Amino acid sequence: MNKNSENISGWKKFMKSMTKAHDLGTEEDIMLEHDYDGIKELDNVLPPWWLYGFYITIAISIFYYVQVFYNSEEYSQEKEFATEIAEGKAQVEAYKAANPELFDDSNIVALTDAESISKGKELFASKTCTACHLADLGGSIGPNLTDNHWILGGDVKSIYNTISKGGRPGKGMIAWESTISRDERIQLASYIVSMQGTQPANPKAAEGDIIWPEE
């Protein structure tokens, strides 16, 4: 017997020890008496590899159970959760510190390039702003956005803030900051600014005491 055949033989022995599979042709030895319309059943044992895995999961579960209830200082889920939350917040703050321009709303300016205005117009339609303000921004349930009367301010920062945080309580204008990105909110606010002074088909009467731009 050469070395290669010895390896193959050893591997087969190992696989047989892990599966306990019966050799072909010996099915009669483990055949049960059941017979369902010619279909018979073999009484195979559970393969050892599966049993070992099952026993290991039981051992791990017992170990973890004991640790959770008797070593809570090291295996406290509440502490793990609190630690991960603290780490997550620290990462967020670090990101904010490294990218202040992304979070400082005081630096927002109205965009005027055609691409940004076009994107803002697209968002105005796709985010259903038209349902309350109409496609020409003349106002319906919501106020007219083309005149210079504003309830919460008509400069780009005020409009951005209204889009982000929502309008007056109970008036239907929801906060969009969790569903529209910061860049898109700026584009949307910039589009609204660009439409000020236009002439909608049926403009709603002016609302709000804030005048912007000032007359």
Side-chain angles (χ1 to χ4, degrees), residues 25-116:
T26 62
E27 290 85 355
E28 292 296 332
D29 296 341
I30 55 173
M31 188 77 73
L32 297 178
E33 296 179 355
H34 304 154
D35 189 335
Y36 303 97
D37 295 332
I39 299 174
K40 297 183 178 180
E41 182 182 4
L42 299 178
D43 187 19
N44 284 305
V45 298
L46 289 172
W49 68 265
W50 188 91
L51 279 177
Y52 297 154
F54 182 62
Y55 295 150
I56 289 173
T57 60
I58 292 176
I60 292 175
S61 65
I62 293 173
F63 170 79
Y64 193 69
Y65 181 88
V66 171
Q67 295 299 321
V68 167
F69 287 97
Y70 297 99
N71 190 18
S72 58
E73 288 297 321
E74 295 293 334
Y75 290 88
S76 169
Q77 292 186 351
E78 291 182 359
K79 289 183 178 179
E80 288 181 11
F81 177 76
T83 299
E84 292 187 6
I85 290 295
E87 291 175 351
K89 288 182 177 179
Q91 292 175 358
V92 170
E93 293 304 319
Y95 184 79
K96 286 182 177 179
N99 303 275
E101 72 281 2
L102 299 179
F103 301 93
D104 186 1
D105 294 342
S106 65
N107 296 326
I108 291 177
V109 295
L111 305 174
T112 57
D113 60 284
E115 183 178 354
S116 297

Coordinates of all heavy atoms in Angstrom, one line a residue, residues 25-116:
G25 N -25.2 -1.5 0.6 CA -25.4 -2.9 0.5 C -25.7 -3.6 1.8 O -26.0 -4.8 1.9
T26 N -25.6 -2.7 2.9 CA -25.9 -3.3 4.3 C -27.2 -2.7 4.8 O -27.4 -2.7 6.0 CB -24.8 -3.0 5.2 OG1 -24.6 -1.6 5.3 CG2 -23.5 -3.6 4.7
E27 N -28.0 -2.1 3.9 CA -29.2 -1.4 4.4 C -30.2 -2.4 5.2 O -30.9 -1.9 6.1 CB -30.0 -0.8 3.2 CG -29.3 0.4 2.6 CD -28.3 0.0 1.6 OE1 -28.1 -1.3 1.4 OE2 -27.7 0.8 0.9
E28 N -30.1 -3.7 4.8 CA -31.0 -4.6 5.5 C -30.8 -4.7 7.0 O -31.7 -5.0 7.7 CB -30.9 -6.0 4.8 CG -31.3 -6.1 3.4 CD -32.9 -5.9 3.3 OE1 -33.6 -6.2 4.3 OE2 -33.3 -5.4 2.2
D29 N -29.5 -4.4 7.4 CA -29.2 -4.4 8.8 C -30.0 -3.4 9.6 O -30.1 -3.6 10.9 CB -27.7 -4.3 9.0 CG -26.9 -5.4 8.3 OD1 -27.5 -6.4 8.1 OD2 -25.7 -5.2 8.0
I30 N -30.3 -2.2 9.0 CA -30.9 -1.2 9.8 C -32.3 -0.9 9.2 O -32.9 0.2 9.5 CB -30.1 0.1 9.7 CG1 -29.8 0.5 8.3 CG2 -28.8 -0.1 10.5 CD1 -29.1 1.9 8.2
M31 N -32.9 -1.8 8.4 CA -34.2 -1.6 7.9 C -35.3 -1.8 8.9 O -35.3 -2.8 9.6 CB -34.4 -2.5 6.7 CG -35.7 -2.3 5.9 SD -35.5 -0.9 4.8 CE -34.4 -1.6 3.6
L32 N -36.2 -0.8 9.1 CA -37.3 -1.0 10.0 C -38.4 -1.7 9.4 O -38.4 -1.9 8.1 CB -37.7 0.4 10.5 CG -36.7 1.2 11.3 CD1 -37.3 2.6 11.6 CD2 -36.3 0.5 12.5
E33 N -39.3 -2.1 10.1 CA -40.4 -2.9 9.6 C -41.5 -2.1 8.9 O -42.5 -2.6 8.4 CB -41.0 -3.8 10.7 CG -40.1 -4.8 11.2 CD -40.7 -5.7 12.4 OE1 -41.8 -5.4 12.7 OE2 -40.0 -6.6 12.8
H34 N -41.4 -0.8 9.1 CA -42.4 0.1 8.5 C -42.4 -0.1 7.0 O -41.4 -0.2 6.3 CB -42.2 1.5 8.8 CG -42.1 1.8 10.3 ND1 -41.4 2.8 10.8 CD2 -42.6 1.1 11.3 CE1 -41.4 2.7 12.1 NE2 -42.2 1.7 12.5
D35 N -43.6 -0.1 6.4 CA -43.7 -0.2 4.9 C -44.9 0.6 4.5 O -46.1 0.2 4.8 CB -43.8 -1.6 4.5 CG -43.7 -1.8 3.0 OD1 -44.1 -0.8 2.3 OD2 -43.4 -2.9 2.5
Y36 N -44.7 1.8 3.9 CA -45.8 2.7 3.5 C -45.9 2.7 2.0 O -45.1 3.4 1.3 CB -45.6 4.1 4.0 CG -45.4 4.1 5.5 CD1 -44.2 4.2 6.1 CD2 -46.5 4.1 6.4 CE1 -44.0 4.2 7.5 CE2 -46.4 4.2 7.7 CZ -45.2 4.2 8.3 OH -45.0 4.3 9.7
D37 N -46.7 1.8 1.5 CA -46.9 1.7 0.0 C -45.5 1.5 -0.6 O -45.2 2.1 -1.7 CB -47.5 3.0 -0.5 CG -48.9 3.2 0.0 OD1 -49.6 2.1 0.3 OD2 -49.4 4.3 0.0
G38 N -44.7 0.6 0.0 CA -43.4 0.3 -0.6 C -42.3 1.1 -0.2 O -41.1 0.9 -0.5
I39 N -42.6 2.2 0.6 CA -41.5 3.1 1.1 C -41.1 2.6 2.4 O -42.0 2.5 3.4 CB -42.0 4.5 1.1 CG1 -42.5 5.0 -0.2 CG2 -40.9 5.4 1.7 CD1 -43.1 6.4 -0.2
K40 N -39.8 2.3 2.6 CA -39.3 1.8 3.9 C -38.4 2.8 4.6 O -38.0 3.7 3.9 CB -38.6 0.5 3.6 CG -39.6 -0.6 3.1 CD -38.8 -1.9 2.9 CE -39.8 -3.0 2.4 NZ -39.1 -4.3 2.2
E41 N -38.1 2.5 5.8 CA -37.4 3.5 6.6 C -36.1 2.8 7.2 O -36.1 1.7 7.6 CB -38.2 4.0 7.8 CG -37.5 5.0 8.6 CD -38.4 5.4 9.8 OE1 -39.5 4.9 9.9 OE2 -38.0 6.3 10.6
L42 N -35.0 3.6 7.1 CA -33.7 3.1 7.7 C -33.5 3.7 9.0 O -33.8 4.9 9.2 CB -32.5 3.5 6.8 CG -32.6 2.9 5.3 CD1 -31.4 3.4 4.6 CD2 -32.6 1.4 5.4
D43 N -33.1 2.9 9.9 CA -32.8 3.4 11.3 C -31.4 3.9 11.5 O -30.6 3.3 12.2 CB -33.1 2.3 12.3 CG -33.1 2.8 13.8 OD1 -33.2 4.0 14.0 OD2 -32.9 1.9 14.7
N44 N -31.1 5.0 10.8 CA -29.7 5.6 10.9 C -29.6 6.3 12.2 O -30.5 6.9 12.8 CB -29.5 6.6 9.8 CG -29.2 5.9 8.5 OD1 -28.3 5.1 8.4 ND2 -30.0 6.2 7.4
V45 N -28.4 6.2 12.8 CA -28.1 7.0 14.0 C -27.7 8.4 13.6 O -27.3 8.7 12.5 CB -26.9 6.3 14.8 CG1 -27.3 4.9 15.2 CG2 -25.6 6.4 13.9
L46 N -27.9 9.3 14.6 CA -27.5 10.7 14.4 C -26.0 10.7 14.1 O -25.2 10.1 14.9 CB -27.8 11.6 15.6 CG -29.3 11.8 15.8 CD1 -29.5 12.5 17.1 CD2 -29.9 12.6 14.7
P47 N -25.5 11.5 13.1 CA -24.1 11.6 12.9 C -23.3 12.2 14.0 O -23.8 13.2 14.6 CB -24.0 12.4 11.6 CG -25.3 13.0 11.4 CD -26.3 12.2 12.2
P48 N -22.2 11.7 14.4 CA -21.5 12.2 15.5 C -21.1 13.7 15.4 O -21.1 14.5 16.3 CB -20.2 11.4 15.6 CG -20.7 10.1 15.0 CD -21.6 10.4 14.0
W49 N -20.8 14.2 14.1 CA -20.4 15.6 14.0 C -21.6 16.5 14.4 O -21.4 17.5 14.9 CB -20.0 15.9 12.5 CG -21.1 15.8 11.5 CD1 -21.5 14.7 10.8 CD2 -22.1 16.8 11.2 NE1 -22.6 15.0 10.0 CE2 -23.0 16.3 10.3 CE3 -22.3 18.1 11.7 CZ2 -24.0 17.0 9.7 CZ3 -23.3 18.8 11.1 CH2 -24.2 18.3 10.2
W50 N -22.8 16.0 14.1 CA -24.0 16.8 14.5 C -24.2 16.8 16.0 O -24.5 17.8 16.6 CB -25.2 16.2 13.8 CG -26.4 17.1 13.9 CD1 -26.9 18.1 13.1 CD2 -27.4 17.0 15.0 NE1 -28.0 18.6 13.6 CE2 -28.3 18.0 14.7 CE3 -27.5 16.2 16.1 CZ2 -29.4 18.2 15.6 CZ3 -28.6 16.5 17.0 CH2 -29.5 17.4 16.7
L51 N -24.0 15.6 16.6 CA -24.2 15.5 18.0 C -23.1 16.3 18.7 O -23.5 17.0 19.7 CB -24.0 14.0 18.4 CG -25.3 13.1 18.2 CD1 -25.0 11.7 18.6 CD2 -26.4 13.7 19.1
Y52 N -21.9 16.3 18.3 CA -20.8 17.1 18.9 C -21.2 18.6 18.9 O -21.0 19.3 19.9 CB -19.5 16.8 18.3 CG -19.0 15.4 18.4 CD1 -18.1 14.9 17.5 CD2 -19.4 14.6 19.5 CE1 -17.7 13.5 17.6 CE2 -19.0 13.3 19.6 CZ -18.1 12.8 18.6 OH -17.7 11.5 18.7
G53 N -21.6 19.0 17.7 CA -22.0 20.4 17.6 C -23.2 20.8 18.5 O -23.2 21.8 19.1
F54 N -24.2 19.8 18.6 CA -25.3 20.1 19.5 C -24.8 20.2 21.0 O -25.3 21.0 21.7 CB -26.3 18.9 19.3 CG -27.5 19.1 20.2 CD1 -28.4 20.1 20.0 CD2 -27.8 18.1 21.1 CE1 -29.5 20.3 20.8 CE2 -29.0 18.2 21.9 CZ -29.8 19.3 21.7
Y55 N -23.9 19.3 21.4 CA -23.4 19.3 22.8 C -22.7 20.6 23.0 O -22.7 21.1 24.1 CB -22.5 18.1 23.0 CG -23.3 16.7 22.9 CD1 -22.6 15.6 22.5 CD2 -24.6 16.6 23.3 CE1 -23.3 14.4 22.4 CE2 -25.3 15.4 23.2 CZ -24.6 14.3 22.8 OH -25.3 13.1 22.7
I56 N -21.9 21.0 22.0 CA -21.2 22.3 22.2 C -22.1 23.5 22.4 O -21.9 24.3 23.3 CB -20.2 22.5 21.0 CG1 -19.1 21.5 21.0 CG2 -19.7 23.9 21.0 CD1 -18.3 21.5 19.7
T57 N -23.2 23.5 21.6 CA -24.1 24.6 21.8 C -24.8 24.6 23.2 O -25.0 25.6 23.8 CB -25.2 24.6 20.7 OG1 -25.9 23.4 20.8 CG2 -24.6 24.8 19.4
I58 N -25.1 23.4 23.7 CA -25.6 23.3 25.1 C -24.6 23.8 26.1 O -24.9 24.5 27.0 CB -26.0 21.8 25.3 CG1 -27.2 21.4 24.5 CG2 -26.3 21.6 26.8 CD1 -27.6 19.9 24.6
A59 N -23.3 23.4 25.9 CA -22.3 23.8 26.9 C -22.1 25.3 26.8 O -22.0 26.0 27.9 CB -21.0 23.1 26.5
I60 N -22.2 25.9 25.6 CA -22.0 27.4 25.5 C -23.2 28.0 26.2 O -23.1 29.1 26.9 CB -21.9 27.8 24.1 CG1 -20.6 27.3 23.5 CG2 -22.0 29.3 23.9 CD1 -20.4 27.5 22.0
S61 N -24.4 27.5 25.9 CA -25.6 28.2 26.5 C -25.6 28.1 28.0 O -26.0 29.1 28.7 CB -26.9 27.5 26.0 OG -27.0 26.1 26.4
I62 N -25.1 27.0 28.6 CA -25.0 26.9 30.0 C -24.0 27.9 30.6 O -24.2 28.6 31.6 CB -24.7 25.4 30.5 CG1 -25.8 24.5 30.1 CG2 -24.4 25.4 31.9 CD1 -25.5 23.0 30.3
F63 N -22.9 27.9 29.9 CA -21.8 28.9 30.3 C -22.3 30.3 30.3 O -22.2 31.1 31.3 CB -20.6 28.7 29.4 CG -19.6 29.8 29.6 CD1 -18.7 29.7 30.6 CD2 -19.5 30.9 28.7 CE1 -17.7 30.7 30.8 CE2 -18.5 31.9 28.9 CZ -17.7 31.8 30.0
Y64 N -23.0 30.7 29.2 CA -23.5 32.0 29.1 C -24.6 32.3 30.1 O -24.7 33.4 30.7 CB -24.0 32.2 27.6 CG -24.3 33.7 27.3 CD1 -23.2 34.6 27.2 CD2 -25.6 34.2 27.2 CE1 -23.4 35.9 26.9 CE2 -25.8 35.5 26.9 CZ -24.7 36.4 26.7 OH -24.9 37.7 26.5
Y65 N -25.5 31.3 30.3 CA -26.6 31.5 31.3 C -26.0 31.8 32.7 O -26.4 32.7 33.4 CB -27.4 30.2 31.3 CG -28.6 30.2 32.3 CD1 -29.8 30.8 31.9 CD2 -28.4 29.8 33.6 CE1 -30.9 30.8 32.8 CE2 -29.5 29.8 34.5 CZ -30.7 30.3 34.1 OH -31.8 30.4 34.9
V66 N -25.0 31.0 33.1 CA -24.3 31.2 34.4 C -23.7 32.5 34.5 O -23.8 33.2 35.5 CB -23.3 30.0 34.6 CG1 -22.5 30.3 35.9 CG2 -24.0 28.7 34.7
Q67 N -23.0 32.9 33.4 CA -22.3 34.2 33.4 C -23.2 35.4 33.5 O -23.0 36.3 34.2 CB -21.4 34.3 32.1 CG -20.3 33.4 32.0 CD -19.3 33.5 33.2 OE1 -19.0 34.6 33.6 NE2 -18.8 32.4 33.7
V68 N -24.4 35.3 32.8 CA -25.3 36.4 32.8 C -25.9 36.6 34.2 O -26.1 37.7 34.7 CB -26.4 36.1 31.8 CG1 -27.6 37.1 32.0 CG2 -25.9 36.3 30.4
F69 N -26.3 35.5 34.9 CA -27.0 35.6 36.1 C -26.0 35.6 37.3 O -26.4 36.1 38.4 CB -28.0 34.4 36.3 CG -29.2 34.6 35.4 CD1 -29.2 33.9 34.2 CD2 -30.2 35.4 35.8 CE1 -30.3 34.1 33.3 CE2 -31.3 35.5 34.9 CZ -31.4 34.9 33.7
Y70 N -24.8 35.1 37.2 CA -23.9 35.0 38.4 C -22.6 35.8 38.2 O -21.8 35.8 39.1 CB -23.6 33.6 38.7 CG -24.8 32.8 39.1 CD1 -25.5 32.0 38.1 CD2 -25.4 32.9 40.3 CE1 -26.6 31.2 38.5 CE2 -26.5 32.2 40.7 CZ -27.1 31.3 39.7 OH -28.3 30.6 40.1
N71 N -22.5 36.4 37.0 CA -21.3 37.2 36.8 C -21.7 38.5 36.0 O -21.2 38.8 34.9 CB -20.2 36.4 36.0 CG -18.9 37.2 36.0 OD1 -18.7 38.1 36.8 ND2 -18.1 36.8 35.0
S72 N -22.8 39.1 36.5 CA -23.4 40.2 35.7 C -22.5 41.4 35.6 O -22.7 42.2 34.7 CB -24.7 40.7 36.4 OG -24.4 41.0 37.8
E73 N -21.4 41.5 36.4 CA -20.5 42.6 36.2 C -19.8 42.5 34.9 O -19.4 43.5 34.3 CB -19.5 42.6 37.4 CG -20.1 43.0 38.7 CD -20.6 44.5 38.7 OE1 -19.9 45.3 38.1 OE2 -21.7 44.7 39.3
E74 N -19.5 41.3 34.4 CA -18.8 41.1 33.2 C -19.7 40.8 32.0 O -19.3 41.1 30.9 CB -17.8 39.9 33.3 CG -16.7 40.1 34.4 CD -15.8 41.1 33.9 OE1 -15.6 41.4 32.7 OE2 -15.1 41.8 34.8
Y75 N -20.9 40.3 32.3 CA -21.8 39.9 31.2 C -23.2 40.6 31.3 O -24.2 39.9 31.1 CB -22.0 38.4 31.1 CG -20.7 37.7 30.7 CD1 -19.8 37.3 31.6 CD2 -20.5 37.4 29.3 CE1 -18.6 36.6 31.2 CE2 -19.3 36.7 28.9 CZ -18.4 36.3 29.9 OH -17.2 35.7 29.5
S76 N -23.2 41.8 31.6 CA -24.4 42.6 31.7 C -24.8 43.1 30.3 O -24.1 43.9 29.7 CB -24.3 43.7 32.7 OG -25.4 44.6 32.6
Q77 N -26.0 42.7 29.8 CA -26.5 43.2 28.5 C -26.8 44.6 28.6 O -26.6 45.4 27.6 CB -27.7 42.4 28.1 CG -27.4 40.9 27.7 CD -28.6 40.2 27.2 OE1 -29.7 40.8 27.2 NE2 -28.4 39.0 26.7
E78 N -27.3 45.1 29.8 CA -27.6 46.5 29.9 C -26.3 47.3 29.8 O -26.2 48.4 29.1 CB -28.3 46.8 31.2 CG -29.7 46.2 31.3 CD -30.3 46.5 32.7 OE1 -29.7 47.2 33.5 OE2 -31.5 46.2 32.8
K79 N -25.2 46.8 30.4 CA -24.0 47.5 30.4 C -23.4 47.5 29.0 O -22.8 48.5 28.5 CB -23.0 47.0 31.4 CG -23.3 47.3 32.8 CD -22.3 46.8 33.8 CE -22.6 47.1 35.2 NZ -21.7 46.6 36.2
E80 N -23.5 46.3 28.3 CA -23.0 46.2 26.9 C -23.7 47.2 26.0 O -23.1 47.9 25.2 CB -23.2 44.8 26.4 CG -22.3 43.8 27.1 CD -22.5 42.4 26.5 OE1 -23.2 42.3 25.5 OE2 -21.9 41.4 27.0
F81 N -25.1 47.3 26.2 CA -25.8 48.2 25.4 C -25.4 49.6 25.7 O -25.2 50.4 24.7 CB -27.3 48.0 25.7 CG -28.2 49.0 25.0 CD1 -28.5 48.8 23.7 CD2 -28.8 50.1 25.7 CE1 -29.4 49.7 23.0 CE2 -29.6 50.9 25.0 CZ -29.9 50.7 23.7
A82 N -25.3 50.0 27.0 CA -24.9 51.4 27.3 C -23.5 51.7 26.8 O -23.3 52.8 26.3 CB -24.9 51.5 28.8
T83 N -22.6 50.7 26.8 CA -21.2 50.9 26.3 C -21.3 51.2 24.8 O -20.6 52.1 24.3 CB -20.4 49.7 26.7 OG1 -20.3 49.6 28.1 CG2 -19.0 49.9 26.1
E84 N -22.0 50.3 24.1 CA -22.1 50.5 22.7 C -22.7 51.8 22.3 O -22.3 52.4 21.3 CB -22.8 49.3 22.0 CG -22.0 48.0 22.2 CD -22.7 46.9 21.4 OE1 -23.7 47.1 20.7 OE2 -22.2 45.7 21.5
I85 N -23.8 52.2 23.0 CA -24.4 53.5 22.7 C -23.4 54.6 22.9 O -23.3 55.6 22.1 CB -25.7 53.7 23.6 CG1 -26.8 52.7 23.2 CG2 -26.2 55.1 23.5 CD1 -27.3 53.0 21.8
A86 N -22.7 54.5 24.0 CA -21.7 55.6 24.3 C -20.6 55.6 23.3 O -20.2 56.7 22.8 CB -21.1 55.3 25.7
E87 N -20.2 54.5 22.8 CA -19.2 54.4 21.8 C -19.7 55.0 20.5 O -19.0 55.7 19.7 CB -18.7 53.0 21.6 CG -17.9 52.4 22.7 CD -17.5 51.0 22.5 OE1 -18.1 50.3 21.6 OE2 -16.7 50.4 23.3
G88 N -21.0 54.6 20.2 CA -21.6 55.2 19.0 C -21.7 56.7 19.0 O -21.4 57.4 18.0
K89 N -22.1 57.2 20.1 CA -22.3 58.7 20.3 C -20.9 59.3 20.1 O -20.8 60.4 19.5 CB -22.9 59.0 21.6 CG -24.4 58.7 21.6 CD -25.0 59.1 23.0 CE -26.5 58.9 23.0 NZ -27.1 59.2 24.3
A90 N -19.9 58.7 20.7 CA -18.5 59.3 20.6 C -18.1 59.3 19.2 O -17.4 60.3 18.8 CB -17.6 58.5 21.5
Q91 N -18.4 58.3 18.4 CA -18.0 58.2 17.0 C -18.7 59.3 16.2 O -18.2 60.0 15.3 CB -18.3 56.9 16.4 CG -17.4 55.8 17.0 CD -17.8 54.4 16.5 OE1 -18.8 54.2 15.7 NE2 -17.1 53.4 16.9
V92 N -20.0 59.5 16.6 CA -20.8 60.6 15.9 C -20.2 61.9 16.2 O -20.0 62.8 15.3 CB -22.3 60.5 16.3 CG1 -23.0 61.7 15.8 CG2 -22.9 59.3 15.8
E93 N -19.9 62.2 17.5 CA -19.3 63.5 17.8 C -18.0 63.7 17.2 O -17.6 64.8 16.7 CB -19.2 63.6 19.3 CG -20.5 63.6 20.1 CD -21.4 64.7 19.6 OE1 -20.9 65.8 19.4 OE2 -22.6 64.5 19.5
A94 N -17.2 62.6 17.1 CA -15.9 62.7 16.4 C -16.0 63.1 14.9 O -15.3 63.9 14.4 CB -15.1 61.4 16.6
Y95 N -17.1 62.4 14.3 CA -17.3 62.7 12.9 C -17.8 64.2 12.7 O -17.4 64.8 11.8 CB -18.4 61.8 12.4 CG -18.7 61.9 10.9 CD1 -17.8 61.4 9.9 CD2 -19.8 62.6 10.4 CE1 -18.1 61.5 8.6 CE2 -20.0 62.8 9.1 CZ -19.2 62.2 8.2 OH -19.4 62.4 6.8
K96 N -18.6 64.6 13.6 CA -19.1 66.0 13.6 C -17.9 67.0 13.7 O -17.8 68.0 13.0 CB -20.1 66.3 14.7 CG -21.5 65.7 14.4 CD -22.4 66.0 15.5 CE -23.8 65.5 15.3 NZ -24.8 65.8 16.4
A97 N -17.0 66.6 14.6 CA -15.8 67.5 14.9 C -14.9 67.5 13.7 O -14.3 68.6 13.3 CB -15.1 67.0 16.1
A98 N -14.8 66.4 12.9 CA -14.0 66.3 11.8 C -14.6 66.9 10.5 O -13.9 67.3 9.6 CB -13.6 64.9 11.5
N99 N -16.0 67.0 10.5 CA -16.7 67.6 9.4 C -17.7 68.6 9.8 O -18.9 68.5 9.6 CB -17.4 66.4 8.6 CG -16.5 65.3 8.2 OD1 -15.8 65.4 7.1 ND2 -16.3 64.3 9.0
P100 N -17.2 69.7 10.4 CA -18.2 70.7 10.9 C -19.1 71.4 9.9 O -20.2 71.8 10.2 CB -17.2 71.8 11.6 CG -15.9 71.6 10.8 CD -15.8 70.1 10.6
E101 N -18.6 71.4 8.6 CA -19.4 72.1 7.6 C -20.6 71.3 7.3 O -21.6 71.9 6.7 CB -18.5 72.2 6.3 CG -18.2 70.9 5.6 CD -17.1 70.1 6.2 OE1 -16.6 70.5 7.2 OE2 -16.8 69.0 5.6
L102 N -20.7 70.0 7.6 CA -21.9 69.2 7.3 C -23.0 69.4 8.4 O -24.1 68.9 8.2 CB -21.5 67.7 7.2 CG -20.5 67.4 6.2 CD1 -20.2 65.9 6.2 CD2 -21.0 67.7 4.8
F103 N -22.6 70.0 9.5 CA -23.6 70.1 10.6 C -23.9 71.5 11.1 O -24.7 71.7 11.9 CB -23.1 69.2 11.8 CG -22.9 67.8 11.4 CD1 -21.6 67.3 11.0 CD2 -23.9 66.9 11.4 CE1 -21.4 66.0 10.6 CE2 -23.7 65.6 11.1 CZ -22.5 65.1 10.6
D104 N -23.1 72.4 10.6 CA -23.3 73.8 11.0 C -24.3 74.5 10.1 O -23.9 74.9 9.0 CB -22.0 74.5 11.0 CG -22.1 75.9 11.6 OD1 -23.2 76.3 12.0 OD2 -21.1 76.7 11.6
D105 N -25.6 74.6 10.5 CA -26.6 75.2 9.6 C -26.4 76.7 9.4 O -27.1 77.3 8.6 CB -28.0 74.9 10.2 CG -28.3 73.4 10.1 OD1 -27.6 72.7 9.3 OD2 -29.2 72.9 10.8
S106 N -25.6 77.3 10.3 CA -25.4 78.8 10.2 C -24.7 79.1 8.9 O -24.7 80.3 8.5 CB -24.6 79.3 11.4 OG -23.3 78.7 11.4
N107 N -24.1 78.1 8.2 CA -23.3 78.4 7.0 C -24.1 78.2 5.7 O -23.6 78.3 4.6 CB -22.1 77.5 7.0 CG -21.1 77.9 8.1 OD1 -21.0 79.0 8.5 ND2 -20.4 76.8 8.6
I108 N -25.4 77.8 5.9 CA -26.2 77.5 4.7 C -26.5 78.8 3.9 O -26.8 79.8 4.4 CB -27.6 76.9 5.2 CG1 -27.3 75.5 5.8 CG2 -28.5 76.8 4.0 CD1 -28.6 74.9 6.3
V109 N -26.3 78.6 2.6 CA -26.6 79.7 1.7 C -27.4 79.1 0.6 O -27.4 77.9 0.3 CB -25.3 80.3 1.1 CG1 -24.5 81.0 2.1 CG2 -24.5 79.3 0.4
A110 N -28.2 80.0 -0.1 CA -29.1 79.5 -1.2 C -28.2 79.1 -2.4 O -27.4 79.9 -2.8 CB -30.1 80.6 -1.5
L111 N -28.5 77.9 -2.9 CA -27.8 77.5 -4.1 C -28.5 78.1 -5.3 O -29.7 78.3 -5.3 CB -27.8 76.0 -4.2 CG -27.3 75.2 -3.0 CD1 -27.5 73.7 -3.1 CD2 -25.8 75.5 -2.7
T112 N -27.7 78.5 -6.3 CA -28.2 79.1 -7.5 C -27.9 78.4 -8.8 O -28.4 78.8 -9.8 CB -27.7 80.6 -7.6 OG1 -26.3 80.6 -7.6 CG2 -28.2 81.4 -6.3
D113 N -27.1 77.4 -8.7 CA -26.7 76.7 -10.0 C -27.9 75.9 -10.5 O -28.7 75.4 -9.7 CB -25.5 75.8 -9.7 CG -25.8 74.8 -8.7 OD1 -25.7 75.1 -7.5 OD2 -26.0 73.6 -9.1
A114 N -27.9 75.7 -11.8 CA -29.1 75.1 -12.4 C -29.3 73.7 -12.0 O -30.4 73.2 -11.8 CB -28.9 75.1 -14.0
E115 N -28.2 72.9 -11.7 CA -28.4 71.5 -11.3 C -29.0 71.4 -9.9 O -29.9 70.6 -9.7 CB -27.0 70.9 -11.2 CG -27.0 69.4 -10.9 CD -25.7 68.8 -10.9 OE1 -24.7 69.4 -11.3 OE2 -25.6 67.6 -10.5
S116 N -28.6 72.3 -9.0 CA -29.2 72.3 -7.6 C -30.7 72.7 -7.7 O -31.5 72.1 -7.0 CB -28.4 73.2 -6.7 OG -27.1 72.7 -6.6

